[in-house]
Amino acid sequence: MLATLAVNGTSRAPLPIAVTALLGNETWINFDVVGYADFTSTDSTRYTLTLSTNIGHIEIPQLGGYLMLTGRDSKFHVTDYDVGCINPINSSIEIFTYARGSGSTIILESQPSSREMASKYNNKFALAVQWHVTPARRIVRVADLQAYLLWRNEAYSYWVMELPVSGPIGNYSSLLKSLVVVNAGYLIRAADLINKQRLLTGDVNSTTEIEVIFITATKLKGITFNGEVLHTSKTSNWNLWGSVRCNPPKSDIPDLSNLKWKFIDSLPEIQASYDDSAWKPYTKISKHDPRQLETPSSLYSMNCGSHIGSLLYRGHLNANGQESNVLLNVSGELNLGSPFVIKVLIDHIGQDEETPGIDTIKVPPGILNYRI
């Protein structure tokens, strides 16, 4: 479903869309957050935006077309982002990360659609680029700026690493530290530069191509990964490239069926011989919980001071012979006239996650209902 293109406020977004401006403090950098005013909406809406920049108001996309907001999604639109001498006036492409030094590298990523970025260079000229997102990587160069346009899934293989410095900064993050951008797959833990060798520490889960991207790569002579010197070459983009082979460890899995197993019974409360006469019965009637009570007395755990952790209930009843099951996923035959105890263990690990439009997070832990 596509919503109608009625306009909403100075941003001139469609009526279903809410735009929240996050204005920079003593800086030109602003962010406009776009999302549905009704957060339960699952519509898909085409839209354009009018944004305020340091060169005046502009309407995006500038090169024609429209942007798309899918249900329960939200987007950041950035204006006048500072990456050095190049000033991206606006970008509807998500900025994944960037590094700045003698030049600048900015990593942009997006889901499938058409996206756009406009940049200004030294207040002399502006350049607008529109990108139809595909899995193939694209690189845009404007003066000293390199913009890598990436498919979203690929972006998470890129790492911006700070190079170590001596105290007092040490291991703390700082804008004074030099940076390196590495396309290296699963995980990069640390990076260093010694004798023009890029020393990388990380993990791989398959044979992985390592690409050192940032500008200082032109000064590198090699790459070392976890102490292994890689055979490297220069790519067509003058990045340094190498490959790390993954050798999965060999492990012998024992025959579990022939092992001798031991266990510790840490729940004497579930034994038939257990004496629960010292337990206090649940007799409270909840008057404050918004959920209507469905049991004779409240079995919500918080009414007895238990808010997290395992919950153990013991319910006593006299069977009449007509019972066939218990609405607690506990089934079994019950004998006429004999006293029985139903033991219920709830391995409670927290509140339910919230789903837009409902209040499951407010459901109390414990037994909400039972039926025999």
Side-chain angles (χ1 to χ4, degrees), residues 204-208 244-252:
V204 295
N205 55 4
S206 62
T207 297
T208 302
V244 176
R245 182 177 297 276
C246 179
N247 298 311
K250 295 181 179 180
S251 58
D252 295 327

Side-chain angles (χ1 to χ4, degrees), residues 312-329:
L312 186 63
Y313 295 83
R314 289 174 60 89
H316 292 254
L317 71 150
N318 289 321
N320 59 22
Q322 303 300 315
E323 301 84 1
S324 60
N325 58 72
V326 178
L327 186 67
L328 288 171
N329 292 329

Side-chain angles (χ1 to χ4, degrees), residues 6-21:
V7 296
N8 180 11
T10 58
S11 64
R12 300 189 63 79
L15 285 176
I17 291 179
V19 181
T20 303

